[in-house]
Amino acid sequence: MKRVLSIAVVLVALTSASTAVADDGAGPFGVTVTAGQGAGSARVGVLVPADRATRPAGGHFCTASVVRAPYRNLVVTAAHCLDGRGELVFVPGYRDGRAPYGVWKVKRRFLPRGWVAGRREDSDVAFAVVEPRGGKGVEDVVGGYRIATGTATGATAVTLTGYPDSRETPISCTNKPTTHSPTQQRIECPGFAGGTSGSPWVNGDGQVVGILGGHDDGGTTPDVSYSVVLGAEVERLYREAAGDP
């Protein structure tokens, strides 16, 4: 997961930036705030070991979000969040130890070949199918973002929403990504420390155009984060995962 070198920097950056509450990303560019409780933030949640399903406070370790799929059961996160871990649950809209939209068991994981073969940082995106609850899929309950591949880096501003390990409420920041390499994009948003791996980068059309991860597992400082440029590999993986009932 995202490796941050200095915890002190995280706390200072987050304290100085979190002066207002955002409504799904509203606010000036490059400012991190506590995420509001709108429809968008309900689609974002935490991954938690299954044995902590009833005690998620202090136990969550990565961020994930619901994406649209035919069976309405799909979430997206970073590949390094799903690789080599035991049974997991997803808690959308998590806040302060509460699961307002239920706890959803991860049934199956889809990791790209590039990650499985050699943990390639350019393949650090993965999908997970979650089991239904009460005859409904998670997308029926909270809605879902659309996955968008082939989008030019920095074409529009994006909003990141994620859960640092040290917080029990999500944070949010809007800014324009820039190019780090032909296969990686970067964004400057303070306070995105360990635990925010898997955070979706969502544009104004409700499309996920990045997933916090990739280079250096998403970054070595809380102020700069990375994502794979979503391309053909992610498109193929999405189609495979979306076809799983």
Side-chain angles (χ1 to χ4, degrees):
M1 65 196 73
K2 185 168 184 180
R3 296 172 293 180
V4 175
L5 299 181
S6 174
I7 298 299
V9 172
V10 177
L11 297 176
V12 170
L14 192 55
T15 301
S16 61
S18 298
T19 56
V21 175
D23 230 344
D24 291 335
F29 283 1
V31 175
T32 297
V33 298
T34 299
Q37 299 188 51
S41 60
R43 300 169 185 173
V44 184
V46 291
L47 291 173
V48 185
D51 62 2
R52 293 291 300 266
T54 60
R55 298 175 293 107
H60 54 89
F61 64 89
C62 268
T63 302
S65 58
V66 182
V67 292
R68 294 183 186 177
Y71 295 104
R72 310 182 73 79
N73 61 357
L74 200 61
V75 301
V76 65
T77 187
H80 71 260
C81 291
L82 296 181
D83 190 14
R85 296 184 181 273
E87 294 186 357
L88 301 174
V89 297
F90 170 64
V91 187
Y94 171 78
R95 284 177 187 262
D96 296 318
R98 298 187 296 273
Y101 307 103
V103 175
W104 303 77
K105 183 179 179 180
V106 172
K107 179 173 71 170
R108 189 174 177 193
R109 311 170 198 202
F110 292 82
L111 281 73
R113 293 178 182 176
W115 184 267
V116 174
R119 293 180 62 91
R120 292 180 60 246
E121 65 176 24
D122 291 339
S123 299
D124 196 7
V125 176
F127 296 91
V129 170
V130 298
E131 293 184 352
R133 286 171 44 94
K136 292 184 177 181
V138 66
E139 188 183 337
D140 294 317
V141 177
V142 299
Y145 296 121
R146 288 173 288 166
I147 286 284
T149 58
T151 302
T153 297
T156 63
V158 300
T159 297
L160 280 64
T161 303
Y163 289 82
D165 289 339
S166 59
R167 289 175 58 98
E168 301 303 322
T169 53
I171 59 173
S172 181
C173 172
T174 299
N175 211 342
K176 279 191 116 177
T178 58
T179 297
H180 174 69
S181 74
T183 55
Q184 297 280 331
Q185 50 189 326
R186 71 193 295 274
I187 194 167
E188 296 185 9
C189 275
F192 278 75
T196 58
S197 286
S199 298
W201 300 22
V202 182
N203 66 16
D205 293 325
Q207 298 172 320
V208 174
V209 297
I211 294 294
L212 201 157
H215 181 62
D216 281 337
D217 284 349
T220 57
T221 77
D223 297 339
V224 178
S225 299
Y226 296 87
S227 167
V228 175
V229 174
L230 305 188
E233 184 178 46
V234 172
E235 175 67 23
R236 289 192 298 270
L237 190 68
Y238 168 75
R239 291 184 183 278
E240 181 184 359
D244 191 298

